[in-house]
Amino acid sequence: MRIVLVGPPGAGKGTQATRLAEKLRIPHISTGDLFRANISRQTELGKLAKSYMDAGDLVPDEVTIAMAKDRMAQPDAENGFLLDGFPRNVSQAEALDELLKSEGIKLDAVLDLEAPEDEVVKRIAGRRVCRKDSAHVFHVTYSPPKHEGVCDVCGGELYQRDDDSEETVRTRLEVYHTQTEPIIDYYRAQGLVVTISAMGPVDEVTGRALEALKSGQ
């Protein structure tokens, strides 16, 4: 199965992508992982991407597309893949269509995770991370520490990352609405979009997604 996963920041795409890929036995291909893998291996594409990133510029679409093409050509993606964070805009979606068409394959579904904007802001802005170990993450509402501002695991100070401030989250949402959300209409015109609610327990959302992908509704 070949799937594109879309949804606003805070909808739980990363969590659901990992779980769905495991359940469907297909690789989870994320833009962030592609960049990190190419940069760490010092591939030509990785060096090119790093030059843009070091200069504070966005990595051009053609570089991202080339990385995705290379990854989708790997043996483990022969029977399908789940794309997370790509395509990020309509031009990338069009390029992906051309790429798949040239390989004689096509997407099976575009899974759209829906979450109310206020809930997304609440989810992200409420996160608190341990300064000693960033793997220790809490939430002021959903998983608060026993003692405010103190990590339950190691006693480190909990803080709000700059990227998690409400102002930053709303800026990220605006970018999503402007650049990424239009791909939903692009794919809806092809009859590929399957929309589900991203609200509720993680297991429940995963089950909802699998059922929706199975039924195509």
Side-chain angles (χ1 to χ4, degrees):
M1 198 168 199
R2 298 173 178 88
I3 305 166
V4 167
L5 185 63
V6 296
K13 290 193 303 300
T15 298
Q16 292 304 324
T18 300
R19 293 166 69 89
L20 291 170
E22 183 178 341
K23 295 281 187 183
L24 297 169
R25 298 182 180 180
I26 54 177
H28 167 209
I29 303 174
S30 77
T31 307
D33 288 344
L34 285 177
F35 286 166
R36 283 188 289 273
N38 277 274
I39 290 171
S40 67
R41 296 202 313 266
Q42 295 190 332
T43 66
E44 290 306 312
L45 287 172
K47 292 175 184 176
L48 187 56
K50 190 173 186 300
S51 69
Y52 285 101
M53 295 164 72
D54 287 348
D57 297 327
L58 292 175
V59 177
D61 284 354
E62 56 265 29
V63 177
T64 305
I65 292 163
M67 287 184 181
K69 178 180 180 180
D70 180 66
R71 180 62 185 88
M72 288 187 289
Q74 300 303 310
D76 65 338
E78 184 177 351
N79 295 317
F81 48 76
L82 188 151
L83 295 174
D84 169 20
F86 174 82
R88 194 174 292 274
N89 53 51
V90 172
S91 64
Q92 287 187 0
E94 292 171 340
L96 177 61
D97 277 353
E98 288 300 314
L99 172 60
L100 296 178
K101 184 178 179 181
S102 70
E103 299 295 325
I105 56 179
K106 60 182 181 178
L107 292 175
D108 294 298
V110 174
L111 181 62
D112 172 30
L113 299 182
E114 275 193 340
E117 188 158 311
D118 286 346
E119 175 62 22
V120 165
V121 173
K122 184 178 179 181
R123 283 184 182 184
I124 299 177
R127 280 197 299 229
R128 298 294 184 270
V129 181
C130 178
R131 287 194 188 277
K132 286 186 178 179
D133 189 336
S134 60
H136 303 159
V137 182
F138 297 83
H139 193 282
V140 295
T141 302
Y142 304 124
S143 55
K146 293 176 183 176
H147 302 287
E148 186 177 350
V150 180
C151 176
D152 291 352
V153 182
C154 67
E157 179 194 357
L158 298 180
Y159 75 105
Q160 182 187 55
R161 297 183 307 185
D162 291 342
D163 283 353
D164 291 344
S165 70
E166 180 172 343
E167 182 180 0
T168 301
V169 175
R170 292 198 182 278
T171 298
R172 289 168 61 194
L173 282 167
E174 183 60 34
V175 171
Y176 171 77
H177 292 318
T178 303
Q179 297 184 13
T180 304
E181 203 168 41
I183 73 172
I184 297 174
D185 285 336
Y186 172 82
Y187 283 124
R188 185 174 283 122
Q190 299 180 33
L192 292 172
V193 176
V194 177
T195 301
I196 67 162
S197 170
M199 303 298 292
V202 172
D203 287 344
E204 186 179 302
V205 176
T206 302
R208 193 181 298 148
L210 288 170
E211 184 59 33
L213 289 170
K214 180 180 178 182
S215 64
Q217 299 177 354

PDB file of all heavy atoms in Angstrom, residues 1 3 5 12 16-17 19-21 23-24 82 109-113 194-199 201-217:
ATOM      1  N   MET A   1       0.842  -1.188   0.000  1.00  0.00           N
ATOM      2  CA  MET A   1       0.000   0.000   0.000  1.00  0.00           C
ATOM      3  C   MET A   1       0.881   1.244   0.000  1.00  0.00           C
ATOM      4  O   MET A   1       1.853   1.322   0.747  1.00  0.00           O
ATOM      5  CB  MET A   1      -0.903  -0.018   1.233  1.00  0.00           C
ATOM      6  CG  MET A   1      -2.090   0.901   1.146  1.00  0.00           C
ATOM      7  SD  MET A   1      -3.304   0.576   2.454  1.00  0.00           S
ATOM      8  CE  MET A   1      -4.742   1.357   1.733  1.00  0.00           C
ATOM      9  N   ILE A   3       0.916   5.213   0.664  1.00  0.00           N
ATOM     10  CA  ILE A   3       0.101   6.191   1.386  1.00  0.00           C
ATOM     11  C   ILE A   3       0.873   7.487   1.621  1.00  0.00           C
ATOM     12  O   ILE A   3       2.067   7.461   1.904  1.00  0.00           O
ATOM     13  CB  ILE A   3      -0.319   5.628   2.759  1.00  0.00           C
ATOM     14  CG1 ILE A   3      -1.028   4.282   2.602  1.00  0.00           C
ATOM     15  CG2 ILE A   3      -1.210   6.613   3.510  1.00  0.00           C
ATOM     16  CD1 ILE A   3      -1.160   3.531   3.923  1.00  0.00           C
ATOM     17  N   LEU A   5       0.613  10.695   4.244  1.00  0.00           N
ATOM     18  CA  LEU A   5      -0.032  11.104   5.493  1.00  0.00           C
ATOM     19  C   LEU A   5       0.062  12.618   5.634  1.00  0.00           C
ATOM     20  O   LEU A   5       1.156  13.187   5.537  1.00  0.00           O
ATOM     21  CB  LEU A   5       0.671  10.426   6.674  1.00  0.00           C
ATOM     22  CG  LEU A   5       0.072  10.639   8.066  1.00  0.00           C
ATOM     23  CD1 LEU A   5      -1.338  10.057   8.141  1.00  0.00           C
ATOM     24  CD2 LEU A   5       0.954   9.990   9.124  1.00  0.00           C
ATOM     25  N   GLY A  12      -0.418  14.470  15.540  1.00  0.00           N
ATOM     26  CA  GLY A  12       0.087  13.137  15.869  1.00  0.00           C
ATOM     27  C   GLY A  12       0.559  12.345  14.671  1.00  0.00           C
ATOM     28  O   GLY A  12       0.573  11.101  14.706  1.00  0.00           O
ATOM     29  N   GLN A  16       1.406   8.261  14.554  1.00  0.00           N
ATOM     30  CA  GLN A  16       0.546   7.406  13.721  1.00  0.00           C
ATOM     31  C   GLN A  16       1.305   6.827  12.529  1.00  0.00           C
ATOM     32  O   GLN A  16       1.063   5.685  12.132  1.00  0.00           O
ATOM     33  CB  GLN A  16      -0.681   8.196  13.245  1.00  0.00           C
ATOM     34  CG  GLN A  16      -1.654   8.554  14.361  1.00  0.00           C
ATOM     35  CD  GLN A  16      -2.144   7.340  15.131  1.00  0.00           C
ATOM     36  OE1 GLN A  16      -2.345   6.260  14.569  1.00  0.00           O
ATOM     37  NE2 GLN A  16      -2.333   7.505  16.436  1.00  0.00           N
ATOM     38  N   ALA A  17       2.227   7.583  11.969  1.00  0.00           N
ATOM     39  CA  ALA A  17       3.012   7.083  10.835  1.00  0.00           C
ATOM     40  C   ALA A  17       3.800   5.846  11.241  1.00  0.00           C
ATOM     41  O   ALA A  17       3.820   4.834  10.523  1.00  0.00           O
ATOM     42  CB  ALA A  17       3.960   8.169  10.324  1.00  0.00           C
ATOM     43  N   ARG A  19       3.223   3.778  13.755  1.00  0.00           N
ATOM     44  CA  ARG A  19       2.323   2.670  14.084  1.00  0.00           C
ATOM     45  C   ARG A  19       1.684   2.060  12.832  1.00  0.00           C
ATOM     46  O   ARG A  19       1.605   0.844  12.688  1.00  0.00           O
ATOM     47  CB  ARG A  19       1.246   3.157  15.052  1.00  0.00           C
ATOM     48  CG  ARG A  19       1.803   3.543  16.430  1.00  0.00           C
ATOM     49  CD  ARG A  19       0.775   4.329  17.230  1.00  0.00           C
ATOM     50  NE  ARG A  19      -0.356   3.510  17.625  1.00  0.00           N
ATOM     51  CZ  ARG A  19      -0.419   2.807  18.753  1.00  0.00           C
ATOM     52  NH1 ARG A  19       0.594   2.827  19.600  1.00  0.00           N
ATOM     53  NH2 ARG A  19      -1.496   2.102  19.042  1.00  0.00           N
ATOM     54  N   LEU A  20       1.251   2.918  11.921  1.00  0.00           N
ATOM     55  CA  LEU A  20       0.606   2.430  10.709  1.00  0.00           C
ATOM     56  C   LEU A  20       1.593   1.672   9.811  1.00  0.00           C
ATOM     57  O   LEU A  20       1.264   0.632   9.244  1.00  0.00           O
ATOM     58  CB  LEU A  20      -0.021   3.591   9.932  1.00  0.00           C
ATOM     59  CG  LEU A  20      -1.240   4.246  10.597  1.00  0.00           C
ATOM     60  CD1 LEU A  20      -1.619   5.527   9.862  1.00  0.00           C
ATOM     61  CD2 LEU A  20      -2.422   3.272  10.602  1.00  0.00           C
ATOM     62  N   ALA A  21       2.802   2.208   9.690  1.00  0.00           N
ATOM     63  CA  ALA A  21       3.818   1.543   8.868  1.00  0.00           C
ATOM     64  C   ALA A  21       4.116   0.153   9.413  1.00  0.00           C
ATOM     65  O   ALA A  21       4.273  -0.813   8.654  1.00  0.00           O
ATOM     66  CB  ALA A  21       5.097   2.384   8.826  1.00  0.00           C
ATOM     67  N   LYS A  23       2.064  -1.737  11.287  1.00  0.00           N
ATOM     68  CA  LYS A  23       0.881  -2.580  11.085  1.00  0.00           C
ATOM     69  C   LYS A  23       0.757  -3.031   9.631  1.00  0.00           C
ATOM     70  O   LYS A  23       0.368  -4.169   9.348  1.00  0.00           O
ATOM     71  CB  LYS A  23      -0.382  -1.812  11.484  1.00  0.00           C
ATOM     72  CG  LYS A  23      -0.487  -1.455  12.953  1.00  0.00           C
ATOM     73  CD  LYS A  23      -0.942  -2.624  13.785  1.00  0.00           C
ATOM     74  CE  LYS A  23      -1.209  -2.190  15.222  1.00  0.00           C
ATOM     75  NZ  LYS A  23      -1.597  -3.335  16.080  1.00  0.00           N
ATOM     76  N   LEU A  24       1.065  -2.127   8.701  1.00  0.00           N
ATOM     77  CA  LEU A  24       0.918  -2.423   7.271  1.00  0.00           C
ATOM     78  C   LEU A  24       2.180  -3.065   6.670  1.00  0.00           C
ATOM     79  O   LEU A  24       2.190  -3.440   5.510  1.00  0.00           O
ATOM     80  CB  LEU A  24       0.570  -1.140   6.511  1.00  0.00           C
ATOM     81  CG  LEU A  24      -0.764  -0.481   6.893  1.00  0.00           C
ATOM     82  CD1 LEU A  24      -0.873   0.906   6.271  1.00  0.00           C
ATOM     83  CD2 LEU A  24      -1.935  -1.364   6.456  1.00  0.00           C
ATOM     84  N   LEU A  82       4.885   4.603   3.352  1.00  0.00           N
ATOM     85  CA  LEU A  82       4.064   5.646   3.952  1.00  0.00           C
ATOM     86  C   LEU A  82       4.898   6.916   3.991  1.00  0.00           C
ATOM     87  O   LEU A  82       5.941   6.953   4.649  1.00  0.00           O
ATOM     88  CB  LEU A  82       3.609   5.246   5.357  1.00  0.00           C
ATOM     89  CG  LEU A  82       2.573   6.168   6.018  1.00  0.00           C
ATOM     90  CD1 LEU A  82       1.705   5.388   6.996  1.00  0.00           C
ATOM     91  CD2 LEU A  82       3.225   7.342   6.734  1.00  0.00           C
ATOM     92  N   ALA A 109      -3.823   5.877  -1.251  1.00  0.00           N
ATOM     93  CA  ALA A 109      -4.630   6.748  -0.396  1.00  0.00           C
ATOM     94  C   ALA A 109      -3.810   7.901   0.159  1.00  0.00           C
ATOM     95  O   ALA A 109      -2.590   7.805   0.297  1.00  0.00           O
ATOM     96  CB  ALA A 109      -5.225   5.941   0.767  1.00  0.00           C
ATOM     97  N   VAL A 110      -4.516   8.976   0.486  1.00  0.00           N
ATOM     98  CA  VAL A 110      -3.937  10.108   1.199  1.00  0.00           C
ATOM     99  C   VAL A 110      -4.737  10.219   2.492  1.00  0.00           C
ATOM    100  O   VAL A 110      -5.924  10.539   2.474  1.00  0.00           O
ATOM    101  CB  VAL A 110      -4.035  11.409   0.382  1.00  0.00           C
ATOM    102  CG1 VAL A 110      -3.548  12.596   1.211  1.00  0.00           C
ATOM    103  CG2 VAL A 110      -3.210  11.287  -0.899  1.00  0.00           C
ATOM    104  N   LEU A 111      -4.088   9.897   3.605  1.00  0.00           N
ATOM    105  CA  LEU A 111      -4.762   9.891   4.902  1.00  0.00           C
ATOM    106  C   LEU A 111      -4.630  11.264   5.551  1.00  0.00           C
ATOM    107  O   LEU A 111      -3.521  11.713   5.858  1.00  0.00           O
ATOM    108  CB  LEU A 111      -4.157   8.811   5.801  1.00  0.00           C
ATOM    109  CG  LEU A 111      -4.783   8.656   7.191  1.00  0.00           C
ATOM    110  CD1 LEU A 111      -6.261   8.258   7.077  1.00  0.00           C
ATOM    111  CD2 LEU A 111      -4.016   7.613   7.995  1.00  0.00           C
ATOM    112  N   ASP A 112      -5.763  11.911   5.737  1.00  0.00           N
ATOM    113  CA  ASP A 112      -5.810  13.270   6.289  1.00  0.00           C
ATOM    114  C   ASP A 112      -6.237  13.202   7.755  1.00  0.00           C
ATOM    115  O   ASP A 112      -7.373  12.807   8.055  1.00  0.00           O
ATOM    116  CB  ASP A 112      -6.807  14.095   5.464  1.00  0.00           C
ATOM    117  CG  ASP A 112      -7.101  15.462   6.055  1.00  0.00           C
ATOM    118  OD1 ASP A 112      -6.206  16.029   6.712  1.00  0.00           O
ATOM    119  OD2 ASP A 112      -8.235  15.960   5.847  1.00  0.00           O
ATOM    120  N   LEU A 113      -5.324  13.561   8.662  1.00  0.00           N
ATOM    121  CA  LEU A 113      -5.634  13.582  10.094  1.00  0.00           C
ATOM    122  C   LEU A 113      -6.181  14.958  10.470  1.00  0.00           C
ATOM    123  O   LEU A 113      -5.489  15.960  10.322  1.00  0.00           O
ATOM    124  CB  LEU A 113      -4.380  13.289  10.924  1.00  0.00           C
ATOM    125  CG  LEU A 113      -3.701  11.933  10.716  1.00  0.00           C
ATOM    126  CD1 LEU A 113      -2.508  11.797  11.655  1.00  0.00           C
ATOM    127  CD2 LEU A 113      -4.675  10.785  10.960  1.00  0.00           C
ATOM    128  N   VAL A 194      -8.722  10.229   2.330  1.00  0.00           N
ATOM    129  CA  VAL A 194      -9.477   9.573   3.393  1.00  0.00           C
ATOM    130  C   VAL A 194      -9.245  10.410   4.650  1.00  0.00           C
ATOM    131  O   VAL A 194      -8.106  10.543   5.103  1.00  0.00           O
ATOM    132  CB  VAL A 194      -8.983   8.127   3.634  1.00  0.00           C
ATOM    133  CG1 VAL A 194      -9.729   7.490   4.785  1.00  0.00           C
ATOM    134  CG2 VAL A 194      -9.143   7.289   2.369  1.00  0.00           C
ATOM    135  N   THR A 195     -10.303  11.002   5.194  1.00  0.00           N
ATOM    136  CA  THR A 195     -10.175  11.899   6.345  1.00  0.00           C
ATOM    137  C   THR A 195     -10.694  11.233   7.613  1.00  0.00           C
ATOM    138  O   THR A 195     -11.772  10.634   7.604  1.00  0.00           O
ATOM    139  CB  THR A 195     -10.950  13.206   6.104  1.00  0.00           C
ATOM    140  OG1 THR A 195     -10.439  13.850   4.931  1.00  0.00           O
ATOM    141  CG2 THR A 195     -10.806  14.148   7.287  1.00  0.00           C
ATOM    142  N   ILE A 196      -9.894  11.318   8.680  1.00  0.00           N
ATOM    143  CA  ILE A 196     -10.329  10.788   9.972  1.00  0.00           C
ATOM    144  C   ILE A 196     -10.023  11.813  11.063  1.00  0.00           C
ATOM    145  O   ILE A 196      -9.186  12.692  10.881  1.00  0.00           O
ATOM    146  CB  ILE A 196      -9.633   9.458  10.332  1.00  0.00           C
ATOM    147  CG1 ILE A 196      -8.131   9.676  10.572  1.00  0.00           C
ATOM    148  CG2 ILE A 196      -9.870   8.399   9.284  1.00  0.00           C
ATOM    149  CD1 ILE A 196      -7.458   8.552  11.334  1.00  0.00           C
ATOM    150  N   SER A 197     -10.689  11.674  12.188  1.00  0.00           N
ATOM    151  CA  SER A 197     -10.404  12.522  13.337  1.00  0.00           C
ATOM    152  C   SER A 197      -9.144  12.020  14.036  1.00  0.00           C
ATOM    153  O   SER A 197      -8.977  10.824  14.252  1.00  0.00           O
ATOM    154  CB  SER A 197     -11.576  12.494  14.320  1.00  0.00           C
ATOM    155  OG  SER A 197     -11.215  13.114  15.536  1.00  0.00           O
ATOM    156  N   ALA A 198      -8.267  12.962  14.387  1.00  0.00           N
ATOM    157  CA  ALA A 198      -7.045  12.612  15.107  1.00  0.00           C
ATOM    158  C   ALA A 198      -7.243  12.752  16.615  1.00  0.00           C
ATOM    159  O   ALA A 198      -6.282  12.672  17.376  1.00  0.00           O
ATOM    160  CB  ALA A 198      -5.897  13.513  14.649  1.00  0.00           C
ATOM    161  N   MET A 199      -8.488  12.936  17.039  1.00  0.00           N
ATOM    162  CA  MET A 199      -8.791  13.102  18.447  1.00  0.00           C
ATOM    163  C   MET A 199      -8.999  11.750  19.117  1.00  0.00           C
ATOM    164  O   MET A 199      -9.468  10.803  18.491  1.00  0.00           O
ATOM    165  CB  MET A 199     -10.050  13.958  18.614  1.00  0.00           C
ATOM    166  CG  MET A 199      -9.949  15.321  17.958  1.00  0.00           C
ATOM    167  SD  MET A 199      -8.630  16.334  18.652  1.00  0.00           S
ATOM    168  CE  MET A 199      -9.306  16.609  20.299  1.00  0.00           C
ATOM    169  N   PRO A 201      -7.643   8.594  22.153  1.00  0.00           N
ATOM    170  CA  PRO A 201      -6.447   7.798  22.482  1.00  0.00           C
ATOM    171  C   PRO A 201      -5.698   7.362  21.230  1.00  0.00           C
ATOM    172  O   PRO A 201      -6.307   7.146  20.177  1.00  0.00           O
ATOM    173  CB  PRO A 201      -7.022   6.592  23.237  1.00  0.00           C
ATOM    174  CG  PRO A 201      -8.342   7.060  23.770  1.00  0.00           C
ATOM    175  CD  PRO A 201      -8.866   8.014  22.737  1.00  0.00           C
ATOM    176  N   VAL A 202      -4.383   7.225  21.353  1.00  0.00           N
ATOM    177  CA  VAL A 202      -3.528   6.868  20.218  1.00  0.00           C
ATOM    178  C   VAL A 202      -4.000   5.572  19.551  1.00  0.00           C
ATOM    179  O   VAL A 202      -4.103   5.492  18.326  1.00  0.00           O
ATOM    180  CB  VAL A 202      -2.054   6.733  20.671  1.00  0.00           C
ATOM    181  CG1 VAL A 202      -1.204   6.164  19.547  1.00  0.00           C
ATOM    182  CG2 VAL A 202      -1.509   8.088  21.096  1.00  0.00           C
ATOM    183  N   ASP A 203      -4.274   4.541  20.351  1.00  0.00           N
ATOM    184  CA  ASP A 203      -4.714   3.257  19.805  1.00  0.00           C
ATOM    185  C   ASP A 203      -6.009   3.402  19.020  1.00  0.00           C
ATOM    186  O   ASP A 203      -6.199   2.763  17.980  1.00  0.00           O
ATOM    187  CB  ASP A 203      -4.914   2.224  20.918  1.00  0.00           C
ATOM    188  CG  ASP A 203      -3.595   1.722  21.492  1.00  0.00           C
ATOM    189  OD1 ASP A 203      -2.551   1.936  20.848  1.00  0.00           O
ATOM    190  OD2 ASP A 203      -3.615   1.119  22.583  1.00  0.00           O
ATOM    191  N   GLU A 204      -6.886   4.233  19.541  1.00  0.00           N
ATOM    192  CA  GLU A 204      -8.181   4.441  18.888  1.00  0.00           C
ATOM    193  C   GLU A 204      -7.995   5.113  17.527  1.00  0.00           C
ATOM    194  O   GLU A 204      -8.649   4.740  16.544  1.00  0.00           O
ATOM    195  CB  GLU A 204      -9.067   5.304  19.792  1.00  0.00           C
ATOM    196  CG  GLU A 204     -10.491   5.470  19.303  1.00  0.00           C
ATOM    197  CD  GLU A 204     -11.312   6.305  20.270  1.00  0.00           C
ATOM    198  OE1 GLU A 204     -11.402   5.901  21.455  1.00  0.00           O
ATOM    199  OE2 GLU A 204     -11.852   7.354  19.850  1.00  0.00           O
ATOM    200  N   VAL A 205      -7.109   6.095  17.469  1.00  0.00           N
ATOM    201  CA  VAL A 205      -6.849   6.802  16.205  1.00  0.00           C
ATOM    202  C   VAL A 205      -6.221   5.842  15.193  1.00  0.00           C
ATOM    203  O   VAL A 205      -6.592   5.831  14.014  1.00  0.00           O
ATOM    204  CB  VAL A 205      -5.935   8.027  16.430  1.00  0.00           C
ATOM    205  CG1 VAL A 205      -5.588   8.688  15.087  1.00  0.00           C
ATOM    206  CG2 VAL A 205      -6.607   9.036  17.343  1.00  0.00           C
ATOM    207  N   THR A 206      -5.292   4.992  15.651  1.00  0.00           N
ATOM    208  CA  THR A 206      -4.664   4.019  14.758  1.00  0.00           C
ATOM    209  C   THR A 206      -5.702   3.066  14.179  1.00  0.00           C
ATOM    210  O   THR A 206      -5.721   2.796  12.973  1.00  0.00           O
ATOM    211  CB  THR A 206      -3.587   3.199  15.505  1.00  0.00           C
ATOM    212  OG1 THR A 206      -2.609   4.087  16.051  1.00  0.00           O
ATOM    213  CG2 THR A 206      -2.890   2.225  14.566  1.00  0.00           C
ATOM    214  N   GLY A 207      -6.581   2.557  15.046  1.00  0.00           N
ATOM    215  CA  GLY A 207      -7.634   1.651  14.587  1.00  0.00           C
ATOM    216  C   GLY A 207      -8.560   2.321  13.593  1.00  0.00           C
ATOM    217  O   GLY A 207      -8.969   1.718  12.585  1.00  0.00           O
ATOM    218  N   ARG A 208      -8.894   3.572  13.879  1.00  0.00           N
ATOM    219  CA  ARG A 208      -9.762   4.360  12.988  1.00  0.00           C
ATOM    220  C   ARG A 208      -9.099   4.518  11.619  1.00  0.00           C
ATOM    221  O   ARG A 208      -9.746   4.407  10.574  1.00  0.00           O
ATOM    222  CB  ARG A 208      -9.998   5.717  13.642  1.00  0.00           C
ATOM    223  CG  ARG A 208     -11.111   6.561  13.043  1.00  0.00           C
ATOM    224  CD  ARG A 208     -11.183   7.881  13.796  1.00  0.00           C
ATOM    225  NE  ARG A 208     -11.499   7.687  15.202  1.00  0.00           N
ATOM    226  CZ  ARG A 208     -11.052   8.466  16.177  1.00  0.00           C
ATOM    227  NH1 ARG A 208     -10.269   9.483  15.922  1.00  0.00           N
ATOM    228  NH2 ARG A 208     -11.403   8.234  17.428  1.00  0.00           N
ATOM    229  N   ALA A 209      -7.788   4.786  11.635  1.00  0.00           N
ATOM    230  CA  ALA A 209      -7.052   4.982  10.383  1.00  0.00           C
ATOM    231  C   ALA A 209      -6.999   3.694   9.565  1.00  0.00           C
ATOM    232  O   ALA A 209      -7.228   3.707   8.347  1.00  0.00           O
ATOM    233  CB  ALA A 209      -5.635   5.461  10.689  1.00  0.00           C
ATOM    234  N   LEU A 210      -6.716   2.588  10.229  1.00  0.00           N
ATOM    235  CA  LEU A 210      -6.618   1.302   9.515  1.00  0.00           C
ATOM    236  C   LEU A 210      -7.968   0.929   8.903  1.00  0.00           C
ATOM    237  O   LEU A 210      -8.026   0.444   7.769  1.00  0.00           O
ATOM    238  CB  LEU A 210      -6.157   0.200  10.475  1.00  0.00           C
ATOM    239  CG  LEU A 210      -4.691   0.268  10.917  1.00  0.00           C
ATOM    240  CD1 LEU A 210      -4.432  -0.709  12.049  1.00  0.00           C
ATOM    241  CD2 LEU A 210      -3.763  -0.017   9.742  1.00  0.00           C
ATOM    242  N   GLU A 211      -9.033   1.160   9.647  1.00  0.00           N
ATOM    243  CA  GLU A 211     -10.367   0.841   9.138  1.00  0.00           C
ATOM    244  C   GLU A 211     -10.725   1.731   7.944  1.00  0.00           C
ATOM    245  O   GLU A 211     -11.280   1.271   6.952  1.00  0.00           O
ATOM    246  CB  GLU A 211     -11.393   1.019  10.250  1.00  0.00           C
ATOM    247  CG  GLU A 211     -12.812   0.617   9.858  1.00  0.00           C
ATOM    248  CD  GLU A 211     -12.941  -0.834   9.424  1.00  0.00           C
ATOM    249  OE1 GLU A 211     -12.199  -1.676   9.972  1.00  0.00           O
ATOM    250  OE2 GLU A 211     -13.756  -1.120   8.528  1.00  0.00           O
ATOM    251  N   ALA A 212     -10.375   3.016   8.051  1.00  0.00           N
ATOM    252  CA  ALA A 212     -10.662   3.951   6.962  1.00  0.00           C
ATOM    253  C   ALA A 212      -9.876   3.601   5.703  1.00  0.00           C
ATOM    254  O   ALA A 212     -10.399   3.662   4.586  1.00  0.00           O
ATOM    255  CB  ALA A 212     -10.331   5.385   7.404  1.00  0.00           C
ATOM    256  N   LEU A 213      -8.610   3.211   5.881  1.00  0.00           N
ATOM    257  CA  LEU A 213      -7.791   2.821   4.728  1.00  0.00           C
ATOM    258  C   LEU A 213      -8.331   1.548   4.077  1.00  0.00           C
ATOM    259  O   LEU A 213      -8.322   1.399   2.855  1.00  0.00           O
ATOM    260  CB  LEU A 213      -6.342   2.603   5.167  1.00  0.00           C
ATOM    261  CG  LEU A 213      -5.556   3.864   5.554  1.00  0.00           C
ATOM    262  CD1 LEU A 213      -4.230   3.480   6.206  1.00  0.00           C
ATOM    263  CD2 LEU A 213      -5.303   4.738   4.332  1.00  0.00           C
ATOM    264  N   LYS A 214      -8.817   0.660   4.923  1.00  0.00           N
ATOM    265  CA  LYS A 214      -9.362  -0.604   4.420  1.00  0.00           C
ATOM    266  C   LYS A 214     -10.635  -0.385   3.616  1.00  0.00           C
ATOM    267  O   LYS A 214     -10.837  -0.972   2.551  1.00  0.00           O
ATOM    268  CB  LYS A 214      -9.640  -1.537   5.599  1.00  0.00           C
ATOM    269  CG  LYS A 214     -10.210  -2.896   5.199  1.00  0.00           C
ATOM    270  CD  LYS A 214     -10.457  -3.752   6.436  1.00  0.00           C
ATOM    271  CE  LYS A 214     -11.074  -5.090   6.075  1.00  0.00           C
ATOM    272  NZ  LYS A 214     -11.364  -5.911   7.294  1.00  0.00           N
ATOM    273  N   SER A 215     -11.505   0.495   4.150  1.00  0.00           N
ATOM    274  CA  SER A 215     -12.797   0.728   3.496  1.00  0.00           C
ATOM    275  C   SER A 215     -12.730   1.790   2.408  1.00  0.00           C
ATOM    276  O   SER A 215     -13.610   1.859   1.554  1.00  0.00           O
ATOM    277  CB  SER A 215     -13.829   1.136   4.540  1.00  0.00           C
ATOM    278  OG  SER A 215     -13.483   2.378   5.135  1.00  0.00           O
ATOM    279  N   GLY A 216     -11.655   2.635   2.483  1.00  0.00           N
ATOM    280  CA  GLY A 216     -11.532   3.703   1.499  1.00  0.00           C
ATOM    281  C   GLY A 216     -12.508   4.824   1.708  1.00  0.00           C
ATOM    282  O   GLY A 216     -12.807   5.610   0.815  1.00  0.00           O
ATOM    283  N   GLN A 217     -13.028   4.907   2.958  1.00  0.00           N
ATOM    284  CA  GLN A 217     -14.001   5.952   3.277  1.00  0.00           C
ATOM    285  C   GLN A 217     -13.499   6.827   4.392  1.00  0.00           C
ATOM    286  O   GLN A 217     -12.742   6.389   5.214  1.00  0.00           O
ATOM    287  CB  GLN A 217     -15.335   5.315   3.672  1.00  0.00           C
ATOM    288  CG  GLN A 217     -15.937   4.466   2.561  1.00  0.00           C
ATOM    289  CD  GLN A 217     -17.231   3.789   3.001  1.00  0.00           C
ATOM    290  OE1 GLN A 217     -17.606   3.878   4.163  1.00  0.00           O
ATOM    291  NE2 GLN A 217     -17.894   3.127   2.089  1.00  0.00           N
TER     292      GLN A 217
END
